[in-house]
Amino acid sequence: MAAELSKPQIIELAQHSVSYTLFDARWVPSSARFVALGNYARGTGAIEVCGLDDGRITVHRKCEKPAAIKCGTFGASPLEERHLATGDFNGNLSTWDLENMTAPVFQVKAHDTIVNCIDGCGGMGIGHGAPEIVTGGRDGCVKVWDVRQETPVANISPTNSADARDCWAVAFGNSLNDEERCVAAGYDNGDVKMFDLRTMSLRWETHLPNGVCALQFDRKDISMNKLLACGLESKFTVFDLRTQHKEKGFASVVTKAHKSTIWCGAHLPQNRDVFATTGGNGSIHLWKYKYPGQRSISVGDTGEKEGVAGEVIELNRVSLATQPISSFAWSPDKEGLCLTTAFDQTLRVVICTKLNQL
């Protein structure tokens, strides 16, 4: 019992039931507010701004939009504006002022069909380079956007649209200065591709056994260190990105968990080696990545460097919902505070304790 209590604990602080299907939720930077996104049964979109008041969730503002909203991010917005970028089922990329959501601040037809995933970089006072948004769609395209113009900065499209695979996950990384920046994309057939936006080229690709539901670099604003890929069949993969071998690529470690699809994974902002994953069985697992004693070794006659993968250690787990947990977001301001949405139409605020002792 004492050993169990010494572990980080995952505790539900508050929950809020809604009348629509929840797809995503994000903390509003530098505040105790958050935004929930989803769709009503009639096919329209929902944006609901909520807050934490005395440990309870209260609704501050909500509105209904013409198309169901699939995903959102604050990653490309400066702290002074805190504009929310969303992708919807009609293929639109929109940015919203949370104080006046009557009409979008910016909107463009980003994809032919659903915008499955979105990520932002260059905003919130984090990282280098221009504020940019990356979107991935059912049409198989990955597009990078600057909200000051209506044409994509980069458009990574399949050569044959008939053979296009759904892009399920996108993530920015390697934004360590004003020139360098990478985008990772995961597809429904298990492909993971990394594109270098400085050279506009494919930097690396690999294939996982099952579809990739989520991707995240452990930090966007440093020389790329690790990449987390979550997928179907109860597996997630952590790639060590510090050493790339010409033939073998990056070293990786595969972990089995949840006994169901792993819907998402998120690194703790205050400690990049701690991350959480959520499953189709309604559970949250907390993990820590342990580096090997030596992260690379010399192989062959040429002495070329090859990466060495570390070890993933489970810290704790808890079952919160009866339906899949579709999104998970750590608070950037309060260590251990997190936000989840599940298909049981419930928004939950959760606390993970003892993370500062790891």
Side-chain angles (χ1 to χ4, degrees):
M1 185 67 180
E4 286 293 321
L5 291 176
S6 66
K7 295 180 180 179
Q9 301 298 308
I10 306 170
I11 304 163
E12 182 180 310
L13 175 66
Q15 65 173 248
H16 171 60
S17 296
V18 298
S19 58
Y20 53 89
T21 300
L22 285 159
F23 287 127
D24 203 358
R26 289 287 173 260
W27 290 96
V28 179
S30 299
S31 79
R33 296 184 302 159
F34 43 87
V35 181
L37 309 170
N39 80 298
Y40 290 102
R42 50 186 170 271
T44 54
I47 302 179
E48 190 169 16
V49 182
C50 303
L52 268 180
D53 298 300
D54 295 326
R56 298 171 60 185
I57 297 174
T58 57
V59 178
H60 294 182
R61 189 177 294 107
K62 62 181 176 180
C63 60
E64 190 171 351
K65 297 301 172 187
I69 297 174
K70 183 70 169 64
C71 49
T73 181
F74 285 97
S77 177
L79 281 173
E80 299 78 33
E81 295 177 351
R82 295 188 288 189
H83 287 171
L84 172 70
T86 61
D88 66 30
F89 276 47
N90 286 350
N92 295 315
L93 166 65
S94 311
T95 62
W96 306 90
D97 182 350
L98 298 184
E99 304 305 320
N100 181 11
M101 292 188 288
T102 308
V105 177
F106 166 86
Q107 189 171 67
V108 67
K109 179 73 171 175
H111 295 269
D112 295 335
T113 53
I114 295 175
V115 179
N116 283 326
C117 47
I118 192 170
D119 194 22
C121 193
M124 298 202 301
I126 300 173
H128 303 269
E132 289 178 331
I133 297 167
V134 61
T135 56
R138 182 176 285 180
D139 54 9
C141 298
V142 175
K143 298 182 181 181
V144 180
W145 303 88
D146 185 324
V147 295
R148 295 169 293 185
Q149 61 186 54
E150 294 188 359
T151 54
V153 177
N155 185 353
I156 303 151
S157 305
T159 51
N160 185 358
S161 58
D163 298 329
R165 309 299 308 211
D166 270 30
C167 179
W168 281 356
V170 289
F172 275 120
N174 204 44
S175 185
L176 68 158
N177 55 41
D178 290 342
E179 289 79 36
E180 296 285 344
R181 187 169 288 176
C182 286
V183 166
Y187 298 84
D188 67 342
N189 64 343
D191 285 347
V192 178
K193 300 183 180 184
M194 187 185 296
F195 306 98
D196 190 321
L197 297 181
R198 182 176 63 84
T199 60
M200 288 295 178
S201 62
L202 179 67
R203 182 164 183 166
W204 166 75
E205 65 178 327
T206 190
H207 181 78
L208 300 179
N210 303 102
V212 180
C213 299
L215 286 172
Q216 192 184 60
F217 289 88
D218 59 352
R219 284 287 183 278
K220 297 178 184 180
D221 57 333
I222 61 171
S223 178
M224 56 185 184
N225 184 54
K226 297 194 302 294
L227 177 68
L228 172 64
C230 302
L232 308 177
E233 300 297 329
S234 313
K235 291 178 182 175
F236 68 84
T237 306
V238 179
F239 296 94
D240 188 311
L241 304 180
R242 279 298 163 91
T243 307
Q244 184 175 2
H245 190 271
K246 284 182 182 178
E247 296 176 0
K248 298 180 181 178
F250 297 112
S252 63
V253 56
V254 179
T255 306
K256 201 169 177 68
H258 293 281
K259 297 182 181 178
S260 62
T261 296
I262 302 177
W263 279 76
C264 56
H267 293 89
L268 181 68
Q270 295 82 7
N271 183 348
R272 68 186 184 191
D273 298 328
V274 175
F275 61 95
T277 57
T278 69
N281 59 354
S283 64
I284 297 174
H285 288 214
L286 197 61
W287 310 87
K288 184 175 182 181
Y289 184 83
K290 183 180 179 182
Y291 294 100
Q294 193 174 358
R295 292 187 69 178
S296 64
I297 55 173
S298 299
V299 293
D301 298 332
T302 59
E304 185 181 356
K305 294 287 186 180
E306 179 183 336
V308 178
E311 178 187 0
V312 175
I313 302 166
E314 186 180 49
L315 300 175
N316 213 336
R317 67 173 80 175
V318 69
S319 182
L320 284 182
T322 56
Q323 298 291 323
I325 296 179
S326 55
S327 75
F328 182 99
W330 293 105
S331 168
D333 307 303
K334 292 291 184 182
E335 186 177 20
L337 190 64
C338 48
L339 181 65
T340 71
T341 62
F343 288 147
D344 59 3
Q345 296 187 326
T346 305
L347 184 72
R348 292 175 174 86
V349 175
V350 177
I351 296 175
C352 298
T353 66
K354 299 185 175 71
L355 296 181
N356 61 341
Q357 299 173 17
L358 296 176

